Every structure is written in C-alpha cells, then in structure tokens.
Amino acid sequence: MEPFLNKFFHNIYLKMKSDDKVSNYCMFDSQLLTSFTSSLYVAGFVTSFFASYVTRVFGRKPSIVAGGAAFLAGTALGAAAFNVYMLIVGRLLLGVGVGFANQ
C-alpha cells in the first residue's frame, strides 16, 4: 500500500514511483524491508521450540495466555508504530504469538 510504503519505506516508495514498469517490490534491494517481512516468521519458528517446553512445564492454559498476550502486545506496538523499528519489534512479538499458537 502506497501510504504505508511512503511512511515507513520512503526510499522504496520513491523507486516504485519512478519506475512504472516494475510492479514487484522484490526488485528493490532493501534489507530493512526484508527484515520487516521475515521477522514474524523467524520469531514464530524459534518460539515454537520454546513453547513446547512452556506447555510441558506450566500446562496448556498459561501457554495459550502467553501467546495471546504476545499477539496483543505485537498488535498494539504495530498500530502505534511511528518508525520501521517499532514495526519490526511488533512483528517479532506477533511471531512469538504465532509460535505459541502453533504449539
């Protein structure tokens, strides 16, 4: 979405606007955009290993509550983000929620 790119990934937005032939964001080399995209998946993958231990030791209910709290915190941080680093931390927390939910 153009307003999102303009606010958080302004350089990519400018490149996208300057080249009308390219419609794929992957054509733009941005490690920050890659970090934003992959942070949720990496956090979910890593957390899924720890979530099984938490469930085994504390039970299923605390594990579900921890996942829900991570989802809530990640959503709140993403909604309140004013820079891309807050977005990445919010997506990391969402990934923790995904890891607990997958477990």
Side-chain angles (χ1 to χ4, degrees):
M1 293 172 43
E2 290 187 16
F4 177 80
L5 285 175
N6 190 23
K7 181 174 182 178
F8 293 109
F9 301 100
H10 190 67
N11 292 337
I12 293 172
Y13 175 76
L14 293 176
K15 287 180 186 178
M16 184 182 76
K17 283 300 190 183
S18 67
D19 191 1
D20 293 335
K21 298 176 186 175
V22 177
S23 63
N24 189 356
Y25 298 145
C26 295
M27 299 295 291
F28 305 113
D29 186 24
S30 173
Q31 291 181 351
L32 196 59
L33 181 61
T34 304
S35 299
F36 168 74
T37 304
S38 63
S39 59
L40 184 138
Y41 305 112
V42 171
F45 175 72
V46 172
T47 304
S48 63
F49 293 114
F50 296 109
S52 63
Y53 176 76
V54 171
T55 302
R56 191 173 346 128
V57 172
F58 298 107
R60 214 170 66 185
K61 187 175 181 180
S63 176
I64 293 170
V65 169
F71 275 125
L72 181 64
T75 303
L77 192 59
F82 55 86
N83 63 28
V84 71
Y85 301 108
M86 286 180 71
L87 279 177
I88 291 173
V89 172
R91 288 196 42 110
L92 286 171
L93 287 171
L94 288 171
V96 170
V98 167
F100 274 98
N102 282 337
Q103 199 287 324

